[in-house]
Amino acid sequence: MTTTETTIASASDRIKRTQTAAYFASFIVLGLVMAALGPTLPGLAENTRSTVGQIGILFTAQALGVLVGDLISGRWYDRAPAHPFLAVVMLLVAVTLLLTPILSSLPVLAVVMFLMGIGLGSTDVGGNTLLVWVHRDDVGPRMNALHFFFGLGALLVPLLVALVISTTGEITWAYWLLAIIVVPAALMFMRVPSPTRLQQSAEVSTAEARWLLVFLIAAMFFLFVGAELSFGGWIYTYAISLDLATVTTAGYLTSLFWGALTLGRLLSIPIAARVRPRYILMVDIAGMILSLALPLLVPGTSWALWLSAFGFGLFMANVFPTLMVLGEHHLTITGGITGWFLVGGSLGSMTVPLLIGQRFEATGPQATLIVILATVLLAAVVLAAFLVAVRNPSASR
């Protein structure tokens, strides 16, 4: 290479590193903000003079906002420079964080949570899409790293909230501190150039966008995200209801699951560079099935449940980023397609936990693991259908 070519290549690599660092920072913020609602729910209920049952509407409002953000942001990323939009939606998140702890009206707070969800969903679509555009065929390990940083943020925020509440006695500064953290991450996107969208070749027409494959990957997002959030959300109640844990140890059990999820994403970074996505998903599904089956085969034993929580978190860890890489291998990833993937995940996060709640009351706590196991088994069937479809291109059009 000539000196000029070397200089251009060096500048290009430097831009890629800066872009990647910005996406990693945005996903730490995403994890912090998305996991902040749970630990602060009692304080928000006190602020709005609401019951625990009433304050739960905030989860629904935020989830609906994320769904809308998934839908609208993908189209924007495909049509306009991405980074200015990302900066705006992250600043929107910062503003909603500032407002959240000072509002005394539950309906108004629900609207603010909805707006926050739009910003979070748009950030999620942006990070997943733009990282693919920057690194293309080499995105695998970086996609796992991206979601590791999300898990790190989600793991740290309960500690941060607890520290602030113990120091100040209220949740206000917890939300304001999060808002302060969001602003520098948002400003990074004002200084970093936006990546160029992946271009479809002339042969890849709209008719050949393989929408069956898009649907199948979105269905896997629906099932896997639903299973992940159901386990994380219900394992606490499951353990207490069956007298397998105390209130304190059930909290540790939940932390073990999320900790294993974060550890698994860190460990999967080098694996993603060497193993094809389909094989990673096959091993993940097998591990999840064994982890869920253990406490069902050995009921009434706490050790089986602890192993289940660790194993399920470890094998679930890299499913989300691996699905994105699988999509990149067989589709031209656009903002719109990523949006549909995450719409599937958003719908799963609302549907599967709700189904468990209904079965929990009707048939008992064991329904928790049974429904999650059935969800993972159905995801295995969808993965098999996807692999058949990619081997038979005419059937996927």
Side-chain angles (χ1 to χ4, degrees):
M1 296 178 67
T2 65
T3 303
T4 303
E5 290 173 335
T6 303
T7 302
I8 294 173
S10 176
S12 175
D13 289 342
R14 186 166 57 251
I15 291 173
K16 284 184 178 182
R17 287 194 297 269
T18 307
Q19 290 169 329
T20 303
Y23 305 142
F24 287 171
S26 71
F27 263 57
I28 292 176
V29 166
L30 193 64
L32 285 168
V33 178
M34 292 192 77
L37 185 55
T40 59
L41 210 60
L44 295 177
E46 183 179 348
N47 289 351
T48 57
R49 297 178 178 83
S50 306
T51 65
V52 174
Q54 292 170 332
I55 202 71
I57 191 64
L58 298 183
F59 286 107
T60 304
Q62 189 180 80
L64 288 174
V66 169
L67 187 62
V68 172
D70 292 342
L71 286 171
I72 65 174
S73 63
R75 292 180 175 273
W76 180 277
Y77 294 128
D78 290 338
R79 289 165 172 77
H83 285 182
F85 178 74
L86 260 175
V88 170
V89 296
M90 291 186 70
L91 289 175
L92 170 65
V93 171
V95 171
T96 57
L97 287 168
L98 289 172
L99 293 174
T100 295
I102 61 175
L103 295 173
S104 58
S105 168
L106 182 58
V108 175
L109 182 56
V111 172
V112 168
M113 281 294 164
F114 175 79
L115 295 174
M116 183 188 296
I118 291 176
L120 295 173
S122 300
T123 303
D124 198 4
V125 173
N128 282 290
T129 303
L130 302 177
L131 194 70
V132 172
W133 292 0
V134 170
H135 294 287
R136 313 205 176 195
D137 292 339
D138 298 323
V139 74
R142 295 170 180 84
M143 185 64 72
N144 280 271
L146 182 75
H147 289 272
F148 162 74
F149 283 112
F150 174 88
L152 183 64
L155 191 64
L156 290 177
V157 75
L159 303 176
L160 180 65
V161 170
L163 177 63
V164 173
I165 292 177
S166 65
T167 303
T168 65
E170 56 183 24
I171 63 170
T172 301
W173 274 106
Y175 273 98
W176 288 0
L177 180 58
L178 289 176
I180 293 170
I181 293 172
V182 171
V183 172
L187 295 180
M188 288 180 70
F189 289 107
M190 294 182 179
R191 302 178 56 191
V192 181
S194 301
T196 304
R197 175 188 168 183
L198 292 180
Q199 297 296 323
Q200 291 181 316
S201 65
E203 293 81 10
V204 183
S205 64
T206 303
E208 286 193 9
R210 297 189 177 185
W211 288 106
L212 175 60
L213 301 187
V214 175
F215 171 78
L216 291 172
I217 294 180
M220 284 189 279
F221 271 106
F222 177 97
L223 295 164
F224 282 124
V225 172
E228 175 188 325
L229 294 183
S230 294
F231 194 97
W234 280 101
I235 196 63
Y236 181 96
T237 306
Y238 172 88
I240 291 177
S241 299
L242 292 177
D243 292 326
L244 296 176
T246 65
V247 172
T248 301
T249 56
Y252 295 152
L253 181 68
T254 305
S255 296
L256 176 67
F257 166 71
W258 292 113
L261 194 80
T262 304
L263 174 64
R265 285 177 173 167
L266 180 62
L267 296 176
S268 65
I269 293 173
I271 296 173
R274 294 170 175 81
V275 184
R276 297 176 70 181
R278 65 179 64 185
Y279 299 128
I280 293 176
L281 288 172
M282 290 176 185
V283 172
D284 287 339
I285 289 173
M288 284 187 279
I289 290 172
L290 290 174
S291 298
L292 293 169
L294 181 61
L296 293 174
L297 294 173
V298 193
T301 54
S302 59
W303 64 265
L305 186 59
W306 283 81
L307 282 179
S308 176
F310 181 80
F312 190 74
L314 196 66
F315 285 104
M316 176 61 81
N318 63 4
V319 167
F320 196 110
T322 303
L323 284 176
M324 285 298 306
V325 177
L326 184 70
E328 187 273 333
H329 280 195
H330 298 283
L331 297 161
T332 299
I333 296 298
T334 64
I337 286 177
T338 303
W340 283 114
F341 290 169
L342 300 187
V343 164
S346 296
L347 292 174
S349 70
M350 290 186 281
T351 305
V352 181
L354 179 62
L355 176 61
I356 289 176
Q358 294 174 339
R359 301 312 304 162
F360 196 99
E361 290 189 350
T363 61
Q366 290 291 1
T368 303
L369 296 185
I370 292 173
V371 170
I372 297 173
L373 178 59
T375 303
V376 173
L377 290 171
L378 184 55
V381 173
V382 177
L383 176 61
F386 178 88
L387 297 178
V388 170
V390 296
R391 291 176 182 174
N392 183 10
S394 62
S396 66
R397 294 172 188 167

